[in-house]
Each structure stands twice: as structure tokens, then as C-alpha cells.
Amino acid sequence: SRTQMSLWHPETGRFTVLEGIGAADVPALHPDGRLFALTPSRAPSDRDPDVARSVGSLQLFDPERGERRELPLPSDLAANVTQSWFEGFTNSGDMLFQFMDRRTVGDESTLHFQEWLARFDPRADELKVIGPFGRCFANVLGCPDRDSVVFVEDDRRLVRAHFDGRPAGTHFP
């Protein structure tokens, strides 16, 4: 069966089905009522050899206006994205997201998936994605300013990455 996303209308006590979301992953609801929906990429695997390859996409839906638009992902990420989640807000009100892709990094003892970080600017409706990085899930420490994020990568490196194009830097060890 297919899961449908619905919008609750407290004034009428009814749900309205949000067309076009289907069984997508919904990592976040923006404070203004819009929501993000990730359609993961698909690829053949040992378990599902007949799956057709498709790229993932992140959509921004405005249920009040009935509008939606795609927020572009880098092609490497779009081809391999499996899930996303909301990380928090910057001090300027931008939303932070993490994305996981199916490609693995590391040796056999520390094998894990590549991860990407993104900042959504609600004033410009713009998503800025940086990465890939090693594992940083649950290790985002904060944003000292609008254009950077500090996190622990692979449980051992303190990294500051930049949304403005500057290269990431390791600060410890």
C-alpha cells in the first residue's frame, strides 16, 4: 500500500491529501507551513535487481497555495541520496539538513555512508549543499555564522565547513 501525506485543517476537522508527495520522506516542516519532501534515488541491488535507476529530488511544497518547486541537489548526491533529516537552524533562521547517500567510505572496520550538509535560506528559497563528508549524523555542533557549520566527522575530527565555497578545514586533531 502507498502512504499518503495529508494536511490537517483544525477549523474543519478534516484532512486534505497532499497530491504529489506519495511515499516520499518528509524531513522537515518549515515554520511558515511549507514542507520538504525527499524522493530517494533508486538503484538495482542484490536484493532488488529489477529496480530501475532514478535520481532523487528534494521538493518544497506550499500546501496553502498548492505550489511546489524542486530544490536542486548536486548531481552526485541526487544520483545516490537515500534519506535526509532536519538538523536545526542557523542563528539567521536558515534551516540545516543532512543527506545520506548510498556510497560507502572508510575501511571495512569503519564502513559507513557518505553524508552531505545543506542550508536552506527561506528568504531566497535557496538550498546550498556541501559535501560529501564522512559520518556526521548527530554530530553537528552548530553554526558560528551564516556561512559555516561545525561538526564532528567520523567520531574523531572537528571540522568547520563553509557554505560560501571555501574548503572545509579540520580543527582537531
Side-chain angles (χ1 to χ4, degrees):
S1 72
R2 239 177 90 144
T3 302
Q4 285 290 326
M5 295 299 298
S6 299
L7 179 65
W8 171 251
H9 299 279
E11 64 280 358
T12 64
R14 298 185 185 268
F15 287 97
T16 303
V17 173
L18 294 174
E19 297 297 330
I21 295 181
D25 177 24
V26 180
L29 176 66
H30 193 276
D32 67 9
R34 295 180 295 171
L35 59 96
F36 299 85
L38 176 76
T39 302
S41 65
R42 297 190 51 150
S45 67
D46 292 340
R47 195 172 52 171
D48 294 315
D50 298 328
V51 167
R53 182 173 293 280
S54 66
V55 297
S57 66
L58 184 67
Q59 301 281 325
L60 179 61
F61 287 85
D62 186 333
E64 295 298 319
R65 293 190 181 112
E67 298 172 351
R68 75 173 126 183
R69 71 183 205 87
E70 185 170 350
L71 298 171
L73 298 174
S75 58
D76 270 1
L77 176 57
N80 296 289
V81 66
T82 59
Q83 60 184 319
S84 63
W85 54 91
F86 170 67
E87 266 303 321
F89 290 95
T90 66
N91 58 1
S92 62
D94 296 348
M95 295 179 78
L96 291 175
F97 291 92
Q98 268 185 283
F99 295 92
M100 185 178 289
D101 84 27
R102 71 174 42 86
R103 294 171 295 176
T104 54
V105 293
D107 60 36
E108 288 300 317
S109 64
T110 61
L111 198 61
H112 57 269
F113 296 99
Q114 292 187 135
E115 296 181 24
W116 304 65
L117 296 168
R119 178 190 74 198
F120 175 72
D121 178 349
R123 296 164 297 285
D125 280 356
E126 180 180 271
L127 186 74
K128 179 70 177 171
V129 182
I130 55 175
F133 301 104
R135 183 170 39 110
C136 49
F137 174 69
N139 289 319
V140 172
L141 302 176
C143 298
D145 56 59
R146 183 175 184 273
D147 289 318
S148 64
V149 60
V150 176
F151 59 94
V152 177
E153 183 181 36
D154 294 334
D155 294 329
R156 63 178 175 259
R157 287 184 297 279
L158 183 63
V159 175
R160 184 174 186 173
H162 305 276
F163 293 106
D164 61 8
R166 290 179 286 162
T170 301
H171 294 276
F172 182 83

